[in-house]
Amino acid sequence: MALKPQSLGLLVLAAAVPLVAVLPLPDFWITQLNYIGMYAMTALGLVLLTGVGGLTSFGQAAFVGIGAYTTAWLTLNLGVSPWITLFIGMVLTAASALVVGVITLRMSGHYLPLATIAWGLSLYYLMGNLDALGKYDGLLGIQSLSIGNFDIGQGRAFFVLTWFILLAFAAALLHLLDSRAGRAIRAIKSGPQMAEAMGISTFRYKVTIFVLAALSASVAGWLLAHFQRTVNPSAFGLKMGIEYLFMSVVGGVNYVWGAFVGAGLIKLMDDQLQVLLPRLIGTSGSYEVIVFGVMLVLVLKYLPDGLWSMVEKKLPRRPRAVDWQQAAPLPERNKPALGELVLDVDRIRKQFGGLTAVNDISFQIRAGQIVGLIGPNGAGKSTTFNLITGVLSLTSGTVSYRGRRVSGLPARAIAREGVSRTFQHVKMIPDMTVLENVALGAHTRGHKGVAAAMIRTNSDEERRLFREAQRQLERIGMGEYLHEQAGNLAMGPQRLMEIARALCADPALLLLDEPAAGLRHKEKQALAGVLRQLRDEGMSILLVEHDMDLVMQVCDHLVVMEFGTLLTQGTPEQIQQDPKVRAAYLGTEH
């Protein structure tokens, strides 16, 4: 199997590390590479947290400080081995990140960055005011790292250690991003609605990546403490928190290699500008901060995806090796018998303040039945969809699925029961392939988590997930789009992709929100054929659609809404003859 360019790059770098260590490079450049390695390690956490997960944090430097101060205090005061303090520091970092994450990650918008700024400042002043930590002078005389009598805490030996740890982190992150858990993390950035509809606990994954980012920073702090042999709060304050984020953004916060590029560029520029600018201006000062500020503005304007995005565009996009044909099929859920009551909507109501958007709507869906939910724009159809799927909470009434009340459950819990949906406005991850987007729909049918993905023990499950994704794409006639980037698709194929993704969840009830919008005539006819096939297989479908030709072709029962109320319901023939419907929606006869 051919290696991906990123994996090949890691292998090349891993092979180059020992070579660089024995080359006759000046010690100055080895020291620079050591700092770049530690900075890149911290920035990698921000690639996962900010670039992939869409969560902005200014508190990364504080977690570097926890790792550094833990090893410094334990080795100086208790004589604990530095190799043991690494793991103690990681435990303390994980615990603190978990507490901070649980408190702050429920926030959205600008509140999360502000909360991480407050966290970083709090820890900075705590470090600077504790006598046990040396206050603002810090802790001095930290021992160097060694294996037996061999000192590896400085120079070239430290370079090999740092860069092998960095490359191990990068490899683990690449493995994570190309996995079931990684696809779930990517979905968070697009907003919680789609991810929760796939059965993903967005809050749990947010906390997970926050902790992982903190752990990478903690290891960097451990290395930094033993490399400098001293720690003080200045290296872990808000300024460094901003600088780490700056490295990630300039290098390319969406890319693993962006952390390497950003850390290298900022470290080298920082050192050079501190020497050159005072000579040019004729006075000393932190003028490099001004240059970095201007540079950040230019990058955000002209290269919003960072410097590595230019390289990424030039790299060949090789299609994923198709190695799942012989994989075992995923287990299927127990389906209802033909004619069994699947969905019972009983007098549901939704009020937004004084506005009643849905007013006492009731209808039922049985296995093997397609029910159309129709009505003029603003009738409350999408709101009804969101009430059934748990996106919105009910003001009153109940929704039961296969005899169990599901109203009041979160969207992800309802999805896990076997209810799958598409959206009125297509929701997807544009920079993932069609295959990967569709595989996201099978999230609830897999079990391997973040740890399994990072150490690559999830390969068998991944093959099974991709086998199912390919099967569903071929089922709706999109087999040739497997390796196409989803963002390149026209609107019609995007909607079909959403249906394939919903089918990947192996639902007993499928809710389709305007699936024919943007489809050409032949695509609509193909869609109608797919819906009939699904009905014949015993699936229940709730369809919201404005295309009356399609509705009349495929639906067994129609529910007509007007201004949030139930106007009437019946067979397509009955609805076509109903004068109230013709007046309100289909138009009166002339």
Side-chain angles (χ1 to χ4, degrees):
M1 183 174 66
L3 287 170
K4 293 182 179 180
Q6 290 186 327
S7 300
L8 182 61
L10 282 175
L11 287 177
V12 170
L13 260 183
V17 166
L19 180 62
V20 171
V22 299
L23 287 175
L25 289 175
D27 289 342
F28 169 79
W29 287 109
I30 295 295
T31 300
Q32 292 291 79
L33 286 171
N34 286 337
Y35 277 112
I36 290 170
M38 289 181 282
Y39 290 165
M41 203 177 300
T42 307
L44 271 179
L46 289 173
V47 168
L48 176 63
L49 185 65
T50 304
V52 179
L55 305 172
T56 303
S57 172
F58 292 95
Q60 193 76 335
F63 295 117
V64 179
I66 292 176
Y69 269 101
T70 298
T71 191
W73 192 89
L74 289 174
T75 53
L76 287 173
N77 292 281
L78 300 181
V80 181
S81 166
W83 302 102
I84 296 176
T85 64
L86 167 63
F87 298 101
I88 296 174
M90 291 176 71
V91 169
L92 291 176
T93 301
S96 60
L98 188 62
V99 171
V100 174
V102 167
I103 295 172
T104 61
L105 292 174
R106 296 187 187 277
M107 303 176 184
S108 60
H110 59 277
Y111 294 107
L112 175 60
L114 289 175
T116 57
I117 288 173
W119 151 250
L121 288 173
S122 299
L123 202 64
Y124 170 76
Y125 286 114
L126 179 66
M127 294 171 182
N129 285 282
L130 284 179
D131 289 326
L133 300 181
K135 293 191 172 182
Y136 288 100
D137 293 328
L139 299 173
L140 308 174
I142 303 168
Q143 71 181 80
S144 182
L145 293 174
S146 62
I147 299 177
N149 294 324
F150 183 57
D151 187 347
I152 62 169
Q154 300 292 319
R156 297 167 192 272
F158 186 83
F159 163 76
V160 173
L161 173 66
T162 299
W163 276 79
F164 273 146
I165 293 175
L166 172 61
L167 294 176
F169 268 123
L173 183 53
L174 286 172
H175 292 162
L176 172 60
L177 296 181
D178 187 25
S179 71
R180 168 183 174 268
R183 291 186 290 275
I185 294 167
R186 289 182 186 276
I188 295 172
K189 192 174 182 179
S190 302
Q193 194 177 86
M194 180 191 74
E196 294 279 331
M198 301 297 108
I200 297 166
S201 173
T202 53
F203 178 69
R204 181 169 68 86
Y205 274 106
K206 284 179 181 180
V207 172
T208 299
I209 61 176
F210 192 77
V211 172
L212 287 176
L215 288 175
S216 69
S218 179
V219 175
W222 174 78
L223 288 167
L224 184 66
H226 291 286
F227 180 65
Q228 295 187 154
R229 305 191 66 176
T230 178
V231 294
N232 65 73
S234 63
F236 316 117
L238 182 60
K239 177 182 178 295
M240 280 305 301
I242 295 172
E243 197 162 320
Y244 286 129
L245 190 59
F246 182 51
M247 291 176 190
S248 304
V249 171
V250 169
V253 75
N254 298 310
Y255 307 102
V256 168
W257 291 110
F260 290 73
V261 172
L265 181 66
I266 299 308
K267 173 58 182 170
L268 296 177
M269 284 186 63
D270 192 19
D271 288 346
Q272 296 302 314
L273 289 174
Q274 286 184 28
V275 175
L276 293 175
L277 290 178
R279 290 179 183 174
L280 291 173
I281 298 172
T283 180
S284 61
S286 299
Y287 297 109
E288 69 276 4
V289 177
I290 300 173
V291 175
F292 287 152
V294 173
M295 181 180 173
L296 180 59
V297 171
L298 293 174
V299 168
L300 290 175
K301 179 171 177 58
Y302 296 105
L303 278 174
D305 292 327
L307 296 173
W308 186 256
S309 64
M310 294 189 296
V311 180
E312 188 74 15
K313 290 175 183 176
K314 303 294 183 183
L315 292 176
R317 274 190 175 269
R318 297 177 183 172
R320 180 185 294 275
V322 179
D323 60 352
W324 51 78
Q325 275 91 352
Q326 304 305 316
L330 291 172
E332 297 183 359
R333 70 175 77 249
N334 179 36
K335 298 296 196 307
L338 196 65
E340 178 184 327
L341 181 62
V342 174
L343 182 71
D344 186 11
V345 177
D346 184 23
R347 293 175 295 176
I348 61 172
R349 176 189 290 248
K350 180 61 180 179
Q351 291 178 298
F352 297 97
L355 173 66
T356 302
V358 174
N359 188 12
D360 293 342
I361 297 293
S362 298
F363 61 89
Q364 295 179 333
I365 304 178
R366 297 186 177 275
Q369 186 181 34
I370 300 179
V371 173
L373 186 61
I374 65 173
N377 288 328
K381 303 183 298 297
S382 291
T383 303
T384 301
F385 247 51
N386 289 334
L387 292 172
I388 293 170
T389 54
V391 174
L392 296 174
S393 59
L394 290 168
T395 302
S396 63
T398 60
V399 176
S400 299
Y401 171 73
R402 301 187 68 180
R404 181 190 173 196
R405 179 171 175 168
V406 294
S407 45
L409 295 179
R412 63 181 177 275
I414 296 175
R416 289 170 187 154
E417 291 292 318
V419 179
S420 196
R421 67 166 296 178
T422 63
F423 296 89
Q424 183 178 8
H425 304 290
V426 175
K427 296 184 184 296
M428 62 175 181
I429 306 173
D431 58 351
M432 287 199 328
T433 65
V434 170
L435 181 74
E436 291 164 341
N437 269 276
V438 173
L440 181 64
H443 182 83
T444 58
R445 303 174 70 184
H447 306 284
K448 299 291 186 180
V450 169
M454 295 180 80
I455 60 176
R456 215 52 164 176
T457 59
N458 63 337
S459 299
D460 181 61
E461 183 179 271
E462 283 293 294
R463 284 191 289 270
R464 298 175 76 186
L465 292 173
F466 285 129
R467 181 182 187 271
E468 179 66 11
Q470 181 177 5
R471 185 174 78 89
Q472 297 300 345
L473 281 165
E474 291 174 347
R475 187 181 192 181
I476 63 167
M478 287 191 64
E480 72 272 20
Y481 291 100
L482 286 181
H483 306 295
E484 184 68 50
Q485 195 165 329
N488 294 339
L489 296 180
M491 180 59 68
Q494 283 182 6
R495 291 196 175 278
L496 292 174
M497 180 187 70
E498 263 205 326
I499 295 172
R501 185 181 65 197
L503 290 173
C504 242
D506 188 31
L509 175 62
L510 182 63
L511 288 82
L512 304 177
D513 199 347
E514 299 190 27
L519 269 62
R520 296 186 294 268
H521 178 71
K522 287 186 177 180
E523 291 172 331
K524 289 179 183 178
Q525 294 306 309
L527 173 62
V530 170
L531 297 182
R532 292 191 195 100
Q533 177 191 343
L534 294 173
R535 175 184 60 192
D536 294 342
E537 293 172 1
M539 185 173 294
S540 308
I541 300 174
L542 178 60
L543 176 68
V544 168
E545 185 53 65
H546 287 293
D547 189 315
M548 285 298 102
D549 288 338
L550 177 67
V551 168
M552 296 302 171
Q553 279 184 53
V554 301
C555 290
D556 305 298
H557 186 83
L558 294 177
V559 177
V560 187
M561 293 181 65
E562 183 184 27
F563 301 120
T565 61
L566 179 64
L567 185 62
T568 187
Q569 58 180 311
T571 65
E573 294 75 16
Q574 291 170 335
I575 296 303
Q576 284 179 313
Q577 300 303 318
D578 193 314
K580 293 182 297 182
V581 177
R582 293 204 306 271
Y585 185 51
L586 297 177
T588 56
E589 293 182 350
H590 294 287

